[in-house]
Amino acid sequence: MQTESLNVCKIRRLDCYRSNDSYHLLIQYSFALIVMLVVAVCSCQSACFAQQKNDVFPVAELRAEMGRPYSLSFAIETALKNYPTLRRSRAVLNRSSSGVKLAKTAYLPSFDILAQELRTTTNNIAGSIFPQTLNVIPTQTGPANDTSKMSSVFANNYGMNFSWLVHDGGRRHAQVDVARAKQAQDSASVNYTALDVATAAGETYLTAVAARERIKAEVATVERMQAYNLIVHTLVDKGLRPGVDTARADADLSASRISLIDAQREAELAEVDLAEAMGIAGQNVSVDEAPWIRKAQVESNAGAYRPELHPLAILKLDEVKVSQKEVVATQRIYRPRLWLHSGIWSRGSGSRIDAHPVLDGLLPQNANYIAGLSIDFPVLGYFAVKHQTEMMKQEVEANTSAYDLVIQQLIQKNARAKVFLNNAQRIAAETPVMVKSAKENETKALERYRVGLSTILEVAEAQRILQDAVVRDSVAQVNIWRAILAVSYANGDLAPFLKSVTKAEAGK
């Protein structure tokens, strides 16, 4: 018996262990399944997030561009895809497009349905109630009672209401016109923002090119200064020149190295600014100098300058139009409105005072309908509308003045850009002559110094003149491109500039 009892206990214990193992296995499988689901969801979210980022940020294109300098056209294209202000302007335009659709919904009639099932007391009293600022006291109907009882009955209310504003004196049409004017204003804002973003990217790119060209000029200067320093030290060591000349030569060499460091700093800062202008701040970018140090082909603008076609002028004119539409919309507030109203409703109550309830008040027992026309007119609203209209007219005047100011500024920018372009071309034509003459002057000054016919000061001055000439020549052609960009911006159209950019990058 003891052996059998012991065996039974072992079997029960084994079953218990097996059940516990099954329980633990079930928990482990459940936990593993949850982990797999979490990983799958996170992977899907990561993939969706990456897809969303790819829609905004051209990762594949940027990776393809990594390892080689960015072209100017690619820099402008990337800026137009990624720069936040342009994306924001497009979002605002989409919002205003929805605003037009929203304004058109004012033409739609209203159709409302109400259904109420409730439990209520039937105590009522004759009297009046003012319109309630806070809807606290429910509407009550039925004969007046002289006592208050806490007993209650079922009641119900069902109804449908159809209302339509037949005529409003053109108020809705004016509001739609305002919404459309704002949409046109936001569209003009997108165009102007795109022009600004593209111009900023192009200007920053050319600034980086000029900084890189200056580095080349400064490197050449340092090499010349090292050779010059070696000559001075050799002559001083031989006793042919005073020892003070080495100090001056060392100072000139250090100054040229400092200028090179400054040029490198400006180039690095320009590339940081370029990354920000492209909408990819923090990325490592570099520029291709080759197309922009060749002679630029300047295309003359056909026709007279028309500042009113500039995107900024169009934007300011649209602001004037919006304020004008708002004046009309404000004036049309003070007009009568004609409404068509109709309704059908049914009510029921469990009260047996003066009616026979249906199912003890659970279903309606009496039905009614109504249809008719109504006119409303805010008679004393004239004064408020009058002053609102005066305010809006002053807004029109202010926006008109802002438009006139923009026209003046655009004319000024166009004139300045043309002066800049003309002088950049003239300087580019003179810098090669300046470099050639400066090199001859430096060579002769160094020879005169070697034979003892001049001092170290003459050689240092010749080196300074040559350094200035080389630096000016290195950025002369780049400045022409910058001037062409400025002229295109003043005209409000970068298409001719981008066409010239494409030719230059193709080597044509």
Side-chain angles (χ1 to χ4, degrees):
M1 292 294 293
Q2 293 180 353
T3 305
E4 292 179 357
S5 300
L6 182 61
N7 291 333
V8 170
C9 291
K10 289 181 178 179
I11 292 172
R12 290 179 177 176
R13 191 177 302 169
L14 181 60
D15 292 338
C16 183
Y17 288 158
R18 286 177 179 174
S19 62
N20 288 336
D21 290 342
S22 301
Y23 177 71
H24 289 304
L25 286 174
L26 180 61
I27 293 178
Q28 291 175 359
Y29 287 151
S30 301
F31 180 74
L33 180 61
I34 293 173
V35 171
M36 292 173 63
L37 290 174
V38 171
V39 171
V41 171
C42 292
S43 300
C44 292
Q45 289 180 347
S46 299
C48 294
F49 180 73
Q51 179 65 31
Q52 292 175 355
K53 292 295 288 182
N54 286 336
D55 293 339
V56 177
F57 191 78
V59 177
E61 296 180 19
L62 289 178
R63 286 178 179 172
E65 289 287 328
M66 289 297 181
R68 70 173 186 266
Y70 285 8
S71 63
L72 176 53
S73 57
F74 179 79
I76 293 177
E77 180 183 356
T78 304
L80 292 176
K81 286 181 180 179
N82 296 294
Y83 206 72
T85 55
L86 186 55
R87 284 163 38 206
R88 178 185 178 277
S89 296
R90 290 170 180 156
V92 172
L93 175 59
N94 293 334
R95 183 184 65 185
S96 61
S97 300
S98 300
V100 174
K101 298 177 182 178
L102 177 62
K104 290 181 178 179
T105 59
Y107 286 98
L108 297 176
S110 63
F111 180 70
D112 304 316
I113 298 177
L114 176 67
Q116 293 180 341
E117 287 286 346
L118 44 97
R119 186 83 178 179
T120 177
T121 59
T122 58
N123 304 318
N124 196 15
I125 192 168
S128 300
I129 300 177
F130 268 119
Q132 303 173 52
T133 305
L134 300 176
N135 193 10
V136 177
I137 304 176
T139 302
Q140 196 174 26
T141 60
N145 299 338
D146 56 357
T147 60
S148 294
K149 299 179 180 179
M150 292 297 101
S151 60
S152 61
V153 297
F154 286 106
N156 58 77
N157 300 288
Y158 293 90
M160 294 182 293
N161 179 275
F162 178 85
S163 298
W164 183 35
L165 181 57
V166 180
H167 180 70
D168 64 349
R171 184 188 304 183
R172 290 172 294 181
H173 180 73
Q175 292 295 337
V176 172
D177 286 345
V178 171
R180 285 174 175 167
K182 290 182 178 179
Q183 182 184 18
Q185 175 186 345
D186 292 334
S187 178
S189 178
V190 170
N191 295 333
Y192 173 61
T193 304
L195 176 66
D196 258 4
V197 168
T199 303
E203 173 64 25
T204 310
Y205 186 97
L206 293 174
T207 300
V209 170
R212 285 294 173 186
E213 289 301 307
R214 184 188 168 192
I215 288 177
K216 294 179 181 179
E218 296 294 350
V219 167
T221 300
V222 170
E223 292 175 351
R224 287 195 309 272
M225 286 296 183
Q226 288 175 343
Y228 152 66
N229 185 272
L230 180 60
I231 292 173
V232 173
H233 275 271
T234 301
L235 294 176
V236 171
D237 291 341
K238 291 181 180 180
L240 301 177
R241 283 294 177 183
V244 70
D245 286 1
T246 58
R248 178 55 189 263
D250 292 341
D252 291 339
L253 178 58
S254 296
S256 65
R257 288 172 177 169
I258 291 174
S259 296
L260 176 58
I261 295 172
D262 288 339
Q264 292 172 338
R265 179 198 63 209
E266 294 301 322
E268 292 175 1
L269 291 176
E271 290 177 353
V272 170
D273 293 342
L274 175 59
E276 191 276 335
M278 293 170 62
I280 54 174
Q283 298 287 333
N284 294 324
V285 299
S286 59
V287 296
D288 183 12
E289 306 103 301
W292 321 114
I293 60 177
R294 295 191 294 265
K295 186 175 182 181
Q297 297 179 359
V298 181
E299 297 182 4
S300 59
N301 295 325
Y305 177 62
R306 299 184 62 185
E308 67 275 7
L309 299 181
H310 194 282
L312 179 58
I314 295 175
L315 174 60
K316 292 300 180 180
L317 183 60
D318 285 339
E319 291 180 359
V320 175
K321 293 179 179 179
V322 168
S323 55
Q324 290 174 340
K325 297 294 183 182
E326 288 177 343
V327 169
V328 175
T330 303
Q331 290 173 337
R332 290 183 180 178
I333 293 176
Y334 192 70
R335 290 188 179 184
R337 296 186 299 176
L338 175 63
W339 292 86
L340 169 64
H341 296 292
S342 64
I344 180 172
W345 71 97
S346 180
R347 302 180 64 195
S349 173
S351 174
R352 300 178 182 272
I353 298 176
D354 56 354
H356 300 285
V358 179
L359 290 181
D360 201 23
L362 291 176
L363 293 178
Q365 61 200 52
N366 291 327
N368 292 282
Y369 71 88
I370 187 173
L373 300 173
S374 65
I375 296 177
D376 59 33
F377 181 59
V379 178
L380 295 181
Y382 167 79
F383 302 101
V385 172
K386 176 182 177 181
H387 294 302
Q388 289 177 3
T389 303
E390 290 297 327
M391 291 173 60
M392 296 310 305
K393 288 182 178 179
Q394 295 304 316
E395 185 73 15
V396 173
E397 182 64 27
N399 290 336
T400 302
S401 301
Y403 172 76
D404 294 337
L405 177 61
V406 164
I407 294 296
Q408 294 291 323
Q409 292 174 341
L410 290 174
I411 294 174
Q412 177 199 27
K413 286 184 177 181
N414 181 62
R416 289 175 62 87
K418 287 183 176 179
V419 171
F420 184 24
L421 176 58
N422 182 41
N423 283 271
Q425 291 175 314
R426 293 168 59 187
I427 291 174
E430 290 293 333
T431 53
V433 178
M434 182 180 181
V435 171
K436 181 180 178 181
S437 301
K439 286 182 178 179
E440 292 179 358
N441 180 49
E442 187 260 352
T443 301
K444 292 179 180 179
L446 193 55
E447 288 297 327
R448 287 169 57 82
Y449 178 76
R450 284 177 178 173
V451 298
L453 296 178
S454 64
T455 63
I456 190 69
L457 296 177
E458 183 178 346
V459 179
E461 180 65 15
Q463 292 287 353
R464 187 195 62 78
I465 293 174
L466 179 58
Q467 179 185 10
D468 181 66
V470 171
V471 171
R472 285 175 175 267
D473 184 62
S474 65
V475 299
Q477 292 298 329
V478 180
N479 285 337
I480 294 180
W481 283 103
R482 295 170 71 179
I484 296 174
L485 177 60
V487 172
S488 298
Y489 176 82
N491 283 271
D493 184 13
L494 295 188
F497 172 75
L498 295 176
K499 184 177 179 181
S500 300
V501 166
T502 303
K503 291 181 179 179
E505 290 175 344
K508 296 180 180 179

